Amino acid sequence: YQRRVRGAGVGMGLCMSLSVLGASWGIWTVGTSILGAGVKAPRIRAKHIVSVVFCEAVAIYGIIMAILMRQRWERIDDLHPNRSDYLAGYVLFAGGLGAGLCNIFSGVCVGVAGSSAALGDAQNPKLFVRLIVVEIFGSALGLFGIIVGIVAITGVEFGTKVTHHNMMMT
Amino acid sequence: MLSMNVEFGFLEGLVRGYKSEILKTTDYANLLQCDSLEDVKLHLSSTGYGDFLANEQPPLRTTTIREHMTQKLVDELHFMRVQAVEPLKQFFEYIRYSYMIDNIVLIISGTLHERSVQDLLQQCHPLGMFDSVAMAGLTIAKSISEVYRFVLVDTPLAPYFQDCLSEEDLDELNVEIIRSTLYRAYLEDFNRFCEKIGGSTWDIMQPILEFEADRRAINITINSFGQVLLLFAHCARELTRTNSTELSKDDRARLYPRLGKLYPEGHAALARADSQQQVRTIVDVHMQVSAQWHVCALFC
């Protein structure tokens, strides 16, 4: 039992932690630039919180995915181990790792773009809307990651009931 | 790239803000319309300078305005210096060293001419001030070697003195030669520092330092020809008109910084030059076309 669930647990942990890593990386990159540029151009202080929100969304993707993964092994049947449990373990690991890595890069991307947006907006207010579009595209990368992850995860389950079909395969 | 904002993100945003506050053509056009200093103060208050003259008494003087503007620059630079981490902190110190060198030369020449220490300290550029401990030693120093022993040894400029001058030299040499020697050591040190940092710092600073070194070399050469010329100064406060420094050719060659487009062949040729025309030919040969444009401004 433990061997089957271990990969799933690591996957869930990786998903959450890598997403948070990406989000925090992005927030630090944006934050210093907003503070620096906001000294001489105070009007940008309120507007550029949206960049921080985009970075934070990446972390939220991670936590959604992690909770969905946790629900996959609530109904494990200890007495009847199954071959398909190994598949479930691997899939959960892979889904978590993939979504986590996607979220790192998405968070970093939104952070760097947001930092340039803050610096550019301080000089020329017309740049703001264009640069937010760039950030939206960056944020979409994380979304792709968790979509793929969720699709993969919802296909597997621990503790599948032993049916005639399964028995033929084992 | 990924750790781009860790050390310098805030300062980068700040510097861009400062840059956007530099007076533009429209500001200068407005200032040209002014009739009196009060109008100037009014126009400046709508730029990034703000109410920096608010506490001044009505009869405004140009020196007051200039002092306050310089003080604003010094305050901004101080703020950035305080926020900086290595190696940016060291870079800011190098920028200050050139002002320190000017101040030191001012103090030395003032001590020679028996001027009071308070006057000298008033005239020093604020960017190049040493801390108060060093300044206190100035009041008791009577000759240049004493100034060196009590004050200058503790400053960051001491290595530049040690490289080239001994205490006896300080008393005998012309003040301008001291300045040139110090500046040479400073430029070479700055060059080594920027080269060690590498990257875009080196890409940007290398042409600047090379140009500075070439400018120095040409100026030293021309000033040693026995003509009365304005020796260029860094801060506009101090304009020194010197007679010929009466340098022999070997002495002259010792004052050229060991960098720049004219190093080493150009320096060897310049050390042997005898007239402005010769200098011009040497410069034409050794420096590239774009640089010549800057150099021609020197000859005018």
Side-chain angles (χ1 to χ4, degrees):
Chain A
Y1 166 67
Q2 279 167 348
R3 261 188 303 162
R4 285 170 282 159
V5 183
R6 182 173 57 199
V10 171
M12 182 175 87
L14 276 180
C15 173
M16 189 65 241
S17 53
L18 293 179
S19 304
V20 166
L21 180 66
S24 61
W25 205 327
I27 291 180
W28 114 40
T29 312
V30 172
T32 48
S33 286
I34 295 180
L35 287 173
V39 172
K40 292 295 179 183
R43 60 188 159 78
I44 73 167
R45 287 176 311 189
K47 270 198 295 184
H48 282 267
I49 300 294
V50 73
S51 300
V52 178
V53 169
F54 274 128
C55 284
E56 184 72 18
V58 161
I60 291 178
Y61 298 158
I63 201 172
I64 289 175
M65 176 100 170
I67 291 178
L68 283 176
M69 288 167 82
R70 177 67 184 90
Q71 287 174 346
R72 294 286 107 200
W73 73 73
E74 274 183 41
R75 290 155 288 148
I76 291 210
D77 190 359
D78 224 351
L79 301 176
H80 303 281
N82 241 315
R83 232 187 212 186
S84 66
D85 284 353
Y86 287 105
L87 175 67
Y90 279 118
V91 165
L92 283 166
F93 173 72
L97 180 64
L101 283 178
C102 278
N103 285 339
I104 283 188
F105 295 123
S106 167
V108 171
C109 167
V110 173
V112 174
S115 136
S116 305
L119 295 176
D121 191 13
Q123 307 285 326
N124 184 356
K126 291 190 290 225
L127 290 174
F128 177 64
V129 176
R130 310 283 185 266
L131 288 163
I132 291 299
V133 172
V134 172
E135 285 182 47
I136 289 173
F137 278 110
S139 192
L141 299 174
L143 202 57
F144 298 158
I146 69 157
I147 286 174
V148 168
I150 289 177
V151 166
I153 283 166
T154 51
V156 296
E157 202 179 48
F158 278 109
T160 322
K161 288 220 207 77
V162 176
T163 61
H164 180 70
H165 179 72
N166 283 345
M167 250 198 314
M168 297 297 281
M169 285 167 59
T170 52
Chain B
M1 180 60 177
L2 288 179
S3 65
M4 50 184 272
N5 271 347
V6 178
E7 292 174 334
F8 307 121
F10 177 64
L11 284 178
E12 181 188 352
L14 202 57
V15 164
R16 285 172 189 265
Y18 287 152
K19 181 211 164 237
S20 70
E21 277 189 348
I22 293 178
L23 297 180
K24 303 182 191 35
T25 324
T26 49
D27 295 317
Y28 282 119
N30 281 342
L31 285 176
L32 280 176
Q33 311 281 339
C34 291
D35 289 324
S36 73
L37 286 178
E38 303 296 330
D39 285 343
V40 169
K41 174 177 163 183
L42 197 64
H43 276 122
L44 283 179
S45 65
S46 63
T47 63
Y49 280 97
D51 288 327
F52 74 121
L53 286 173
N55 295 334
E56 286 302 313
Q57 302 302 322
L60 268 184
R61 298 190 320 251
T62 48
T63 46
T64 323
I65 295 184
R66 187 162 95 187
E67 270 170 16
H68 278 267
M69 285 181 146
T70 319
Q71 192 56 42
K72 179 173 188 288
L73 169 70
V74 170
D75 288 338
E76 289 179 354
L77 207 65
H78 181 69
F79 185 73
M80 286 204 286
R81 257 173 52 215
V82 163
Q83 301 275 342
V85 287
E86 294 295 334
L88 186 59
K89 215 177 189 66
Q90 189 60 30
F91 193 86
F92 275 126
E93 292 304 308
Y94 273 103
I95 292 179
R96 284 184 61 221
Y97 289 168
S98 72
Y99 293 98
M100 280 187 193
I101 290 177
D102 288 334
N103 283 351
I104 282 182
V105 169
L106 184 69
I107 289 173
I108 290 179
S109 67
T111 317
L112 267 184
H113 295 144
E114 312 277 336
R115 302 237 290 266
S116 96
V117 173
Q118 293 309 316
D119 283 342
L120 289 177
L121 288 181
Q122 290 275 354
Q123 276 204 321
C124 283
H125 196 281
L127 270 180
M129 289 305 281
F130 309 105
D131 38 339
S132 50
V133 174
M135 285 291 121
L138 265 183
T139 48
I140 54 173
K142 289 291 170 289
S143 76
I144 297 186
S145 50
E146 281 186 13
V147 168
Y148 173 64
R149 234 183 304 140
F150 294 141
V151 178
L152 298 173
V153 169
D154 292 325
T155 62
L157 293 181
Y160 302 152
F161 280 93
Q162 282 158 15
D163 277 341
C164 357
L165 302 168
S166 61
E167 267 190 52
E168 300 84 29
D169 287 342
L170 274 178
D171 276 329
E172 294 166 2
L173 284 179
N174 192 347
V175 165
E176 293 306 324
I177 298 183
I178 297 178
R179 185 208 299 272
S180 303
T181 323
L182 282 179
Y183 206 83
R184 169 191 192 234
Y186 157 67
L187 263 188
E188 290 177 3
D189 200 17
F190 201 178
N191 196 48
R192 271 195 299 269
F193 175 70
C194 290
E195 198 172 0
K196 200 166 55 136
I197 296 184
S200 41
T201 310
W202 179 232
D203 288 338
I204 290 179
M205 287 308 293
Q206 188 184 18
I208 294 177
L209 292 174
E210 278 186 356
F211 176 66
E212 192 67 27
D214 291 334
R215 189 171 80 137
R216 286 265 160 187
I218 294 171
N219 231 305
I220 290 172
T221 316
I222 294 183
N223 278 338
S224 71
F225 285 159
Q227 300 165 4
V228 176
L229 277 175
L230 274 169
L231 197 64
F232 62 90
H234 274 281
C235 39
R237 275 166 198 261
E238 190 190 331
L239 280 165
T240 54
R241 193 173 269 278
T242 72
N243 288 323
S244 70
T245 45
E246 288 173 357
L247 284 171
S248 71
K249 302 205 166 154
D250 296 327
D251 286 339
R252 202 199 297 168
R254 268 213 304 259
L255 289 179
Y256 299 149
R258 276 173 296 215
L259 61 146
K261 295 205 174 61
L262 288 174
Y263 172 74
E265 295 97 11
H267 285 316
L270 273 179
R272 292 190 302 266
D274 279 321
S275 74
Q276 257 199 3
Q277 191 50 44
Q278 276 189 340
V279 172
R280 192 158 200 159
T281 343
I282 295 170
V283 165
D284 283 342
V285 165
H286 284 99
M287 291 172 72
Q288 293 152 15
V289 176
S290 60
Q292 281 175 4
W293 190 87
H294 298 286
V295 170
C296 283
L298 264 183
F299 284 105
C300 299

